[in-house]
Amino acid sequence: PFGATYYCFAHNHEDNEEGESPYFQRYKVGINHHRIPFGAEVEYMPTPNPNKDPAGFENRTRRGIFLGYHEQP
């Protein structure tokens, strides 16, 4: 399900022959995000855990696999 959702999102933000994306044609607003390939290795910042204080020099990011963007329904 993640791959199909990502494909639809990426297709709607990809420029067509006229140089405009379907998203731009509908909302008249350009996109302002980085295009990350599906399945790419990324570093993300997890939600803070109030019960655990990070060590002084501990890395605040974690490695993960990019499975798509979070969108509001």
Side-chain angles (χ1 to χ4, degrees), residues 42-49 54 58-64:
V42 294
E43 289 192 10
Y44 70 97
M45 188 171 269
T47 304
N49 185 351
E58 184 179 1
N59 194 356
R60 296 183 187 266
T61 61
R62 294 186 184 166
R63 290 182 179 231

Side-chain angles (χ1 to χ4, degrees), residues 10-60:
H11 173 73
N12 285 329
H13 290 86
E14 189 69 31
D15 292 342
N16 57 19
E17 296 83 27
E18 292 90 29
E20 296 179 343
S21 67
Y23 184 86
F24 181 82
Q25 290 175 346
R26 179 171 181 178
Y27 298 108
K28 303 298 183 209
V29 177
I31 58 172
N32 61 353
H33 62 81
H34 298 287
R35 294 182 181 170
I36 303 171
F38 183 78
E41 181 181 4
V42 294
E43 289 192 10
Y44 70 97
M45 188 171 269
T47 304
N49 185 351
N51 299 327
K52 181 184 177 242
D53 291 329
F57 293 103
E58 184 179 1
N59 194 356
R60 296 183 187 266

